[in-house]
Amino acid sequence: MPSISARIPDEERETLEEVADLLGEDRSTTIRKALQAGLSDLRIRVAVEQYQTGEISVNQAARIANVSLGEWLEIAHDRNLTTQLSPEDLKRDADAAREL
C-alpha cells in the first residue's frame, strides 16, 4: 500500500486523535476511513449537482456517485432531487434500468 503524507493544522490533528480514541483505532486507520467516507461524500455531491442541473442522466449519476442505480434512486428521493432531463432522456434511463 503506498504511503501519502499530508500536513494538517494542530486543531485537526487533535480532532483526529479524539476520533481515533473514540473508535479505538490508530490514527492511520481513522485517516483511511475518514478519507474513504469523504471521497464517497464528494462523489455523491458532484453527482447530485450535475444531475440537478440536467448535465447527466440517472445512470451517469449512479456511476459518478459509485453506487448502484437503486442506491442512486434512494439518494435522489431522500434529497428530493428533480432533473432538467427531457422525457426522451428519462425514457432512455428507464430502458437502461430495465436491462440491469
Side-chain angles (χ1 to χ4, degrees), residues 3-20:
S3 176
I4 298 174
S5 65
R7 297 185 187 277
I8 60 173
D10 288 338
E11 183 179 300
E12 290 178 7
R13 182 188 50 80
E14 291 169 6
T15 301
L16 169 62
E17 290 175 0
E18 289 173 13
V19 172

Side-chain angles (χ1 to χ4, degrees), residues 2-96:
S3 176
I4 298 174
S5 65
R7 297 185 187 277
I8 60 173
D10 288 338
E11 183 179 300
E12 290 178 7
R13 182 188 50 80
E14 291 169 6
T15 301
L16 169 62
E17 290 175 0
E18 289 173 13
V19 172
D21 286 343
L22 287 170
L23 296 173
E25 300 173 342
D26 60 75
R27 287 187 304 188
S28 293
T29 301
T30 303
I31 289 169
R32 283 192 299 276
K33 285 183 177 180
L35 181 61
Q36 182 178 9
L39 292 173
S40 177
D41 289 346
L42 288 172
R43 291 181 74 103
I44 290 170
R45 185 182 314 162
V46 168
V48 164
E49 290 171 2
Q50 291 182 1
Y51 178 75
Q52 189 70 34
T53 61
E55 295 175 51
I56 60 173
S57 69
V58 171
N59 288 323
Q60 291 168 316
R63 271 188 236 112
I64 289 170
N66 199 32
V67 297
S68 70
L69 184 58
E71 290 170 314
W72 172 255
L73 293 174
E74 286 182 30
I75 291 167
H77 178 266
D78 292 346
R79 295 176 186 226
N80 295 317
L81 297 181
T82 58
T83 183
Q84 307 303 317
L85 295 175
S86 70
E88 295 81 23
D89 292 331
L90 294 173
K91 182 182 181 322
R92 192 170 38 253
D93 280 348
D95 293 342

